[in-house]
Amino acid sequence: MKKTFFVIAISVLVAACGSLEKKSALINVGDDKQQVISVMGTPDDRQVKGSREVWQYCQTGAGFGYHDYRAFSFDQGKVTAINSYKSGRPGSSCMTDIRVVNWGDSPDQVIEVRHK
């Protein structure tokens, strides 16, 4: 019980501060939506197609003159991919430069590789 509380407390602390890069490094393929929310918080954008979803997060002022983005792809509630991109378009805000999902680029399943 103490270990679970400690992990949750650390996740909340990391979510409260830090860059998208540092926070997203705590998320792995196969994690569920609750884990992503506990680390990243509520997404800035959510796009859905059937059992697939993409949640996008943005941080403005992440570097000199650009916005930093992380996109988490889910299928049936599990992370299938994590992608990043940047935008440096003059006069833009985080929300105006969130990309529309190209569903062909978003994996639709988690593939587990086992070594024998």
Side-chain angles (χ1 to χ4, degrees):
M1 179 69 181
K2 287 182 181 181
K3 184 177 180 181
T4 302
F5 177 76
F6 181 73
V7 169
I8 291 170
I10 293 296
S11 295
V12 169
L13 284 174
V14 170
C17 61
S19 69
L20 287 179
E21 180 180 7
K22 288 178 182 177
K23 291 193 289 186
S24 64
L26 299 173
I27 306 298
N28 298 296
V29 169
D31 285 350
D32 62 21
K33 291 178 183 180
Q34 189 56 47
Q35 176 66 19
V36 175
I37 288 173
S38 71
V39 172
M40 301 297 296
T42 304
D44 295 313
D45 179 73
R46 178 178 173 246
Q47 298 176 48
V48 179
K49 181 179 179 184
S51 66
R52 297 164 63 193
E53 293 184 53
V54 174
W55 292 0
Q56 297 187 70
Y57 295 84
C58 176
Q59 181 178 9
T60 192
F64 182 73
Y66 68 85
H67 307 297
D68 190 20
Y69 297 86
R70 291 296 181 279
F72 296 86
S73 299
F74 297 89
D75 185 45
Q76 298 180 15
K78 300 288 184 182
V79 174
T80 58
I82 303 167
N83 296 297
S84 64
Y85 60 96
K86 296 184 184 329
S87 171
R89 189 168 57 94
S92 67
S93 72
C94 263
M95 295 306 292
T96 58
D97 281 356
I98 285 180
R99 294 181 181 169
V100 174
V101 173
N102 177 348
W103 293 102
D105 292 342
S106 177
D108 59 358
Q109 58 184 313
V110 175
I111 299 173
E112 187 174 331
V113 177
R114 295 183 183 203
H115 299 282
K116 290 184 177 189

